[in-house]
Amino acid sequence: MAEIGTDIAKASQLLREGKLVGMPTETVYGLAGNALNPEAVTAIFETKKRPSFDPLIVHVGNLEQVYAYIRFFPEELMVLAEIFWPGPLTLLLPKKDEIPHLVTSGLDTVAVRIPGHSLTRELLLNLDFPLAAPSANPFGYISPTSALHVQEQLGGKIPYILDGGDCSVGLESTIVGIEQGQVIVYRLGGIPVSAIEQVVGPVLILPQSSSNPKAPGMLKSHYAPKTPVVLGNLDTLVAEFIERGDKFGVLSFTKSFPDLPENCQVVLSPSGGLGEAARNLFSGMRLLDKADVSVILAEELPEKDLGKAINDRLRRAAAK
Ligand code: TXA
Ligand code: MG
């Protein structure tokens, strides 16, 4: 199993040796390796069992480090960077040759992010190379939001997990790029589209499917527990599944069901807060996935602000 701790010097040393380290960020935990070292990058793909056509996000500590790896910074994206970095925003920028093709799956843009987690920024500022880091989960499964989640799934394959506590956002970063002057959101995430539109005006949200190679992480079935997820009206679904006699779990926004066993239900936010619901979403899905149930019943949240990204993850989890 991996050692879990808060030793930045140790994490840095392992990364310099080309090893992989579990890394906290405010969104989800990443599986980090030296982005300039093709062997480390190959190990990331192998450890996650991730297809090589799905490019990685490159993490850096400050804007100066960003400029070292990109050819230029489109103005609209620069404005977003100034407002939302460090934070849950990933920008697609024209890459320099220093970034190996392996990292970008051959694309001529590189996905870059300055994460907001203080421990991780300290780590990044301590290194003279950027860190490629996908979410630290096996490909297709739910992203980890605690060091323990990383340990459970990848602990046998990596030497160290830097423990930064529970993720404060709980959803992956919002991925934004620009094509022919049009700002495009490729993945809904920790920064709501409404916040981005307040800065750059109307954006295009690219409908995602496996036919869109721009963000393969947006394959329809992704972020999925092993237990099937059914989305709908919870009162109706619960009544239906009680009738059937199946063992089921419930993932609700605010409401608890006093007649159902407590260990089979997760309330994302009793007070109806979307931020709190986002923070609890992935750990809630994991909890129910481990419970002895044959199906997880869930409901969509209000389709606004972070609710849009939460619903996106719920729909992908429910997709066959
Ligand atoms: O919040 C996050 O973004 C987390 C933390 C660890 O930073 N990382 C994360 O990485 O979610 P990952 O690998 O699970 O998702 C990265 C997504 C993938 O869907 C990938 O296809 C897309 O970013 N991506 C990476 N580079 C790209 C590029 N050049 N063009 C288009 N999409 C890209
Ligand atoms: Mg991922």
Side-chain angles (χ1 to χ4, degrees):
M1 284 284 116
E3 184 187 335
I4 299 181
T6 55
D7 189 345
I8 290 184
K10 174 151 194 172
S12 308
Q13 184 53 33
L14 287 163
L15 290 162
R16 280 190 203 101
E17 290 165 7
K19 307 247 169 58
L20 307 187
V21 166
M23 170 179 91
T25 82
E26 74 282 27
T27 59
V28 300
Y29 273 69
L31 175 65
N34 180 350
L36 307 183
N37 175 345
E39 278 154 35
V41 175
T42 302
I44 292 176
F45 281 100
E46 283 172 357
T47 304
K48 265 193 73 116
K49 299 202 165 61
R50 180 186 180 109
S52 61
F53 61 75
D54 194 357
L56 305 177
I57 296 176
V58 169
H59 299 73
V60 294
N62 58 26
L63 267 182
E64 197 185 322
Q65 292 180 344
V66 175
Y67 276 109
Y69 305 110
I70 66 165
R71 283 184 284 119
F72 62 93
F73 216 134
E75 174 134 14
E76 291 86 340
L77 301 188
M78 173 52 102
V79 180
L80 291 175
E82 278 166 357
I83 294 176
F84 296 113
W85 274 351
L89 174 73
T90 293
L91 296 174
L92 302 183
L93 299 168
K95 83 184 234 348
K96 276 189 185 158
D97 291 341
E98 280 84 346
I99 299 291
H101 288 300
L102 213 54
V103 171
T104 60
S105 304
L107 297 172
D108 60 7
T109 54
V110 56
V112 184
R113 180 158 104 82
I114 303 180
H117 196 291
S118 56
L119 196 64
T120 303
R121 282 195 64 221
E122 205 181 319
L123 173 72
L124 288 163
L125 293 170
N126 201 28
L127 297 169
D128 57 3
F129 51 83
L131 293 178
S135 51
N137 51 283
F139 186 69
Y141 196 67
I142 307 160
S143 297
T145 53
S146 74
L148 213 59
H149 291 164
V150 182
Q151 180 76 301
E152 278 169 7
Q153 294 192 296
L154 301 179
K157 299 179 173 181
I158 56 177
Y160 196 69
I161 301 167
L162 197 57
D163 189 352
D166 290 344
C167 298
S168 60
V169 175
L171 293 171
E172 297 84 351
S173 58
T174 304
I175 301 182
V176 181
I178 188 165
E179 288 181 42
Q180 283 136 25
Q182 172 66 60
V183 175
I184 302 178
V185 171
Y186 294 99
R187 177 174 74 181
L188 301 176
I191 294 193
V193 168
S194 53
I196 290 171
E197 289 191 322
Q198 271 177 21
V199 181
V200 293
V203 303
L204 203 66
I205 301 174
L206 213 72
Q208 300 293 349
S209 73
S210 48
S211 62
N212 165 36
K214 274 280 171 185
M218 298 310 277
L219 295 177
K220 205 169 167 221
S221 174
H222 214 83
Y223 312 102
K226 298 191 175 79
T227 313
V229 175
V230 176
L231 273 182
N233 177 288
L234 276 183
D235 290 318
T236 315
L237 285 173
V238 166
E240 186 185 316
F241 278 78
I242 287 177
E243 184 101 333
R244 285 206 212 176
D246 288 354
K247 274 197 175 174
F248 59 86
V250 175
L251 185 71
S252 83
F253 180 28
T254 59
K255 184 180 170 181
S256 51
F257 290 78
D259 296 340
L260 301 177
E262 252 179 62
N263 60 351
C264 293
Q265 42 181 324
V266 168
V267 180
L268 292 175
S269 172
S271 62
L274 291 170
E276 184 182 31
R279 273 194 295 285
N280 291 328
L281 179 68
F282 289 154
S283 58
M285 280 197 210
R286 273 173 191 261
L287 202 120
L288 294 174
D289 204 17
K290 281 198 223 159
D292 176 29
V293 298
S294 54
V295 62
I296 298 168
L297 310 179
E299 63 181 347
E300 288 184 5
L301 275 59
E303 187 74 21
K304 59 163 194 198
D305 304 328
L306 281 181
K308 287 189 182 178
I310 295 171
N311 287 340
D312 171 83
R313 301 306 188 269
L314 285 169
R315 287 177 202 130
R316 285 174 205 283
K320 293 289 162 342

